[in-house]
Amino acid sequence: EKFEKFGMSPSKGVLFYGPPGCGKTLMAKAVANECQANFISVKGPELLTMWFGESEANVRDVFEKARQAAPCVLFFDELDSIAQQRGGSSGDGGGAADRVMNQLLTEMDGVGAKKNVFIVGATNRPDIIDTALMRPGRLDQLIYIPMPDFESRLGILRATLRKSPVSKDVDLSYLAAQTDKFTGADLTEICQSACKLAIREE
């Protein structure tokens, strides 16, 4: 409503990028949750098929679903698998990836201000994504999701262990301090390993 008051249409999409395991997918789910929107998640490679014309139809279907479920956050995971620079791919079913890309751009422009469909992409290779996808009006906000800092690591450890019985002498802030450069996925793995060992001992 505020955007309309200023005569502008709000940004339609954002691209999360950053190292693997840093919670890009979780972030997108959190966004949908915060704004009480429906959440549709699509893994990039799922859209590609070998049949001529089917990949584009898949893209159309996904956007159609999103429009029917509006307000909706449409999340494309592993975006680099379908949104690579066009013209570079050889022998992938007659340039299926290029056609998917073109269809994706068309759909993004056609989402229209009338339907509340917000697009979130996630990738750890923003360098190979076609620049047409990142021009203003499409995925124009680039958000870097970094390795978690001390506070974030502490939060991740707490969240992961919230249902586990943890001994009194486990110092989570010490653990968080010792795990510099660990991603969210790494920290979850540490907690799971500890649980496995405890189960084995029991």
Side-chain angles (χ1 to χ4, degrees), residues 57-87:
N58 289 347
V59 175
R60 278 197 298 274
D61 291 347
V62 165
F63 276 91
E64 191 47 51
K65 241 188 237 159
R67 282 193 282 268
Q68 283 167 0
C72 177
V73 173
L74 182 51
F75 177 60
F76 287 100
D77 208 356
E78 315 299 346
L79 195 58
D80 46 279
S81 61
I82 48 169
Q84 287 187 19
Q85 304 274 335
R86 283 166 292 182

Side-chain angles (χ1 to χ4, degrees), residues 27-47:
M27 190 69 95
K29 282 187 177 145
V31 168
N33 213 7
E34 283 294 310
C35 51
Q36 266 100 53
N38 291 312
F39 183 76
I40 297 180
S41 169
V42 185
K43 293 250 189 296
E46 291 174 351
L47 294 170

Side-chain angles (χ1 to χ4, degrees), residues 57-136:
N58 289 347
V59 175
R60 278 197 298 274
D61 291 347
V62 165
F63 276 91
E64 191 47 51
K65 241 188 237 159
R67 282 193 282 268
Q68 283 167 0
C72 177
V73 173
L74 182 51
F75 177 60
F76 287 100
D77 208 356
E78 315 299 346
L79 195 58
D80 46 279
S81 61
I82 48 169
Q84 287 187 19
Q85 304 274 335
R86 283 166 292 182
S89 49
S90 53
D92 59 345
D98 288 7
R99 294 199 308 275
V100 163
M101 184 66 199
N102 294 338
Q103 185 71 44
L104 203 58
L105 297 176
T106 313
E107 290 287 348
M108 272 185 194
D109 291 343
V111 163
K114 292 181 253 342
K115 292 279 187 216
N116 275 334
V117 176
F118 189 73
I119 301 165
V120 178
T123 177
N124 31 36
R125 300 284 313 276
D127 49 317
I128 58 172
I129 286 185
D130 196 306
T131 43
L133 195 64
M134 298 192 279
R135 77 156 176 70

